[in-house]
Amino acid sequence: MDPAITIETLKKDLAEMKAAFEKKTFEAVSAEVQQQSNLLNNITLEIAITGRSGVGKSSFVNALRGMEDYAEGAAKTGVTETTMVPQEYSHPTFPKVKFWDLPGFGKDNFSAEEYLEEVNFSKYDFFIIIASGRFTEDDTNLALEIQKNKKKFYYVRSKVDVDIDNDRKSKGIKEGDSDRKMQSEKETLDTVRTDSYDNLKALGVSSPRVFLISRWDLSKYDFPLLQETIEKEQDELKRDVLIMCLPIFTKDSIKKKKAAMESLIWKNAMVSCTVGLIPVPFLSFGCDIAIVVSTMRDICKVFGLDENSLNILANRVEKDVEELKSVIEHTPSTGKITAEFVMDILKRSAMWGAITAVEMVLGFIPLLGSLYGGGSSFATTFYLLNNFLEKAVKDAEKVLAKAAEPKRHK
Ligand SMILES: Nc1nc2c(ncn2[C@@H]2O[C@H](COP(=O)(O)OP(=O)(O)OP(=O)(O)O)[C@@H](O)[C@H]2O)c(=O)[nH]1
Ligand SMILES: [Mg+2]
């Protein structure tokens, strides 16, 4: 693996760690790091999707998981037979992240309080309340009850693609007339937005927030804003998990993922050096290669470079998965990221200069140096993972660009 990262970047990456050590004792940082290092496998995120019957709850769950409604294991849609049992659906690559398809409410004479009790509300991190037309008193009562229980909720207005299509047709705008179509779309979105605000205000909500979405394309309308809003309102660890697991629609989401991973990397590098100090053959330092391997695999998953995520993306943008894979230059498939792969990089000399530099930078945490064999175990792991991250980011940007290219007509 050739160096992809500069010393300046490495120094910047060490800043957060430096700040942590300045604020807290070594023991306190170590304890936190132990807890946070395996973030993606330790922290659960339970997301409740609720709303009246037929508003598109199950469809939204499928869209979040990047699944067709007819795929095996997808939430059943279009059927009105709902039971009072919440259905659990795991994120396709991060199983600790769960989407809960809650039963439709408002038809069984359940009060909001009874409904929430029935669906075991306390386990969810936040709620998404969907309406496909006007919001009703049922929706606002539910929101009020959620708020009473000190949980967050987000109003989502689904099926805006239907509104856009209906308006276009009623104005007599042809499918191919792209200028007028765009103008009409903007007008429809403005109208739906204003209507939803007014509608919720009339129901007594003082400053409503509503996010407009279509299950058919989460990169459009307000889904990216919804994602960003939810992220901002989570505590630090859940926010990082959310950032890591949500789909990439823009370069900005890649940037956010990178920052979250940088924070994870110094923690994982520390743990890798403390767990057992397993000596690496031929080298003068020890580290836990299994942790390095699993962090590299997580990096691939976070940036959508693993087989599963690439297939989901290919499906979403209706492209051949091989076409997307063809632009990946630096990151091996997750199956090839093994202990041998890591050892192989370690044995090559290209990076030793950089590692010496990291060791020098580490002078600011003398204790670290004395604990970890002069700092070289940490420096090596830290360098290796950040270099890998840099490369994954480059590949993720290329995949994003490729996915956005217009489809080739055969
Ligand atoms: N055009 C369009 N159709 C949607 C959208 N979301 C859902 N639908 C359709 O609306 C119908 C109902 O969707 P479901 O996801 O089954 O609704 P639900 O809220 O789970 O319904 P219940 O489980 O019965 O409460 C299905 O035919 C979906 O295909 C959307 O964003 N756009
Ligand atoms: Mg359903």
Side-chain angles (χ1 to χ4, degrees):
M1 189 192 306
D2 307 321
I5 193 165
T6 64
I7 304 301
E8 283 316 304
T9 314
L10 282 169
K11 278 189 191 167
K12 256 197 271 145
D13 292 345
L14 281 165
E16 183 183 298
M17 183 176 181
K18 186 174 181 215
F21 277 96
E22 276 164 3
K23 271 189 260 156
K24 293 175 195 156
T25 61
F26 185 84
E27 286 70 27
V29 178
S30 294
E32 255 178 45
V33 158
Q34 281 290 349
Q35 187 222 340
Q36 295 173 13
S37 64
N38 205 358
L39 193 71
L40 286 166
N41 298 310
N42 284 345
I43 306 276
T44 58
L45 201 57
E46 316 262 353
I47 304 169
I49 316 292
T50 182
R52 282 169 302 126
S53 227
V55 293
K57 298 179 293 295
S58 308
S59 306
F60 186 52
V61 166
N62 291 339
L64 286 168
R65 299 171 79 217
M67 265 190 169
E68 305 286 1
D69 294 335
Y70 54 79
E72 206 186 312
K76 288 212 166 38
T77 61
V79 282
T80 42
E81 236 178 77
T82 39
T83 61
M84 270 315 270
V85 183
Q87 302 290 320
E88 175 187 335
Y89 297 95
S90 293
H91 184 284
T93 30
F94 304 107
K96 288 267 172 169
V97 175
K98 286 172 188 150
F99 305 107
W100 288 89
D101 187 2
L102 299 195
F105 66 85
K107 60 180 162 79
D108 301 311
N109 292 327
F110 271 109
S111 68
E113 192 183 351
E114 286 164 336
Y115 172 85
L116 285 179
E117 209 142 284
E118 199 70 26
V119 299
N120 202 0
F121 71 87
S122 59
K123 74 197 285 180
Y124 308 110
D125 289 292
F126 58 87
F127 291 76
I128 290 178
I129 305 177
I130 307 187
S132 57
R134 323 202 85 220
F135 287 92
T136 66
E137 222 172 351
D138 284 328
D139 299 305
T140 51
N141 283 343
L142 186 66
L144 221 62
E145 200 57 39
I146 293 171
Q147 220 166 9
K148 254 199 234 162
N149 288 294
K150 311 236 175 319
K151 300 259 174 175
K152 290 225 156 16
F153 67 89
Y154 303 87
Y155 286 122
V156 162
R157 166 61 158 80
S158 66
K159 306 190 190 178
V160 284
D161 58 305
V162 178
D163 301 81
I164 290 168
D165 224 36
N166 286 345
D167 277 2
R168 175 180 64 77
K169 284 181 188 145
S170 69
K171 288 176 193 158
I173 301 168
K174 297 271 175 304
E175 187 62 65
D177 188 347
S178 50
D179 285 351
R180 287 186 69 208
K181 228 176 95 181
M182 242 164 66
Q183 178 59 25
S184 169
E185 173 173 320
K186 194 179 165 300
E187 285 164 11
T188 308
L189 292 173
D190 284 348
T191 311
V192 174
R193 214 181 294 282
T194 317
D195 279 358
S196 308
Y197 287 147
D198 292 349
N199 164 214
L200 282 167
K201 274 201 159 152
L203 288 165
V205 182
S206 56
S207 38
R209 294 184 300 185
V210 183
F211 300 89
L212 278 41
I213 63 146
S214 163
R215 172 262 174 273
W216 299 117
D217 194 347
L218 293 188
S219 69
K220 278 187 167 167
Y221 318 119
D222 292 342
F223 182 78
L225 182 66
L226 171 66
Q227 194 173 321
E228 197 177 308
T229 310
I230 297 174
E231 278 162 23
K232 277 194 195 133
E233 297 177 3
Q234 294 300 302
D235 66 31
E236 198 188 331
L237 295 184
K238 300 237 175 193
R239 180 174 61 234
D240 278 355
V241 172
L242 203 62
I243 288 174
M244 288 173 193
C245 80
L246 283 174
I248 297 172
F249 296 126
T250 58
K251 268 190 154 181
D252 198 48
S253 36
I254 297 180
K255 234 164 101 181
K256 276 197 280 184
K257 281 174 188 260
K258 183 170 184 250
M261 288 317 285
E262 276 165 0
S263 168
L264 192 69
I265 282 179
W266 70 262
K267 293 167 188 157
N268 282 10
M270 258 184 83
V271 173
S272 153
C273 299
T274 40
V275 163
L277 275 186
I278 303 155
V280 178
F282 314 113
L283 297 172
S284 60
F285 71 94
C287 76
D288 189 332
I289 300 244
I291 292 179
V292 179
V293 169
S294 77
T295 310
M296 283 182 174
R297 287 191 186 152
D298 281 347
I299 291 175
C300 287
K301 285 192 210 161
V302 165
F303 289 94
L305 299 168
D306 61 304
E307 193 71 29
N308 200 9
S309 309
L310 285 165
N311 279 323
I312 290 172
L313 176 64
N315 202 10
R316 173 158 70 78
V317 298
E318 295 176 23
K319 287 208 160 85
D320 196 85
V321 70
E322 292 306 323
E323 197 183 334
L324 298 178
K325 279 188 195 166
S326 70
V327 295
I328 300 179
E329 273 180 57
H330 310 288
T331 335
S333 64
T334 40
K336 290 203 177 121
I337 303 174
T338 57
E340 290 70 35
F341 169 79
V342 174
M343 294 280 291
D344 199 48
I345 307 171
L346 286 173
K347 280 186 219 152
R348 278 192 257 148
S349 56
M351 59 185 202
W352 296 118
I355 287 170
T356 314
V358 178
E359 285 177 18
M360 265 155 53
V361 179
L362 277 175
F364 66 70
I365 312 171
L367 194 54
L368 203 65
S370 61
L371 275 182
Y372 304 151
S376 62
S377 297
F378 176 84
T380 307
T381 320
F382 181 80
Y383 171 79
L384 203 64
L385 290 174
N386 271 300
N387 202 41
F388 191 83
L389 172 67
E390 206 74 21
K391 294 187 170 205
V393 165
K394 285 202 179 104
D395 281 338
E397 284 172 352
K398 289 210 188 104
V399 171
L400 176 69
K402 189 73 185 167
E405 275 178 14
K407 261 176 272 170
R408 266 188 269 134
H409 293 287
K410 290 193 181 141

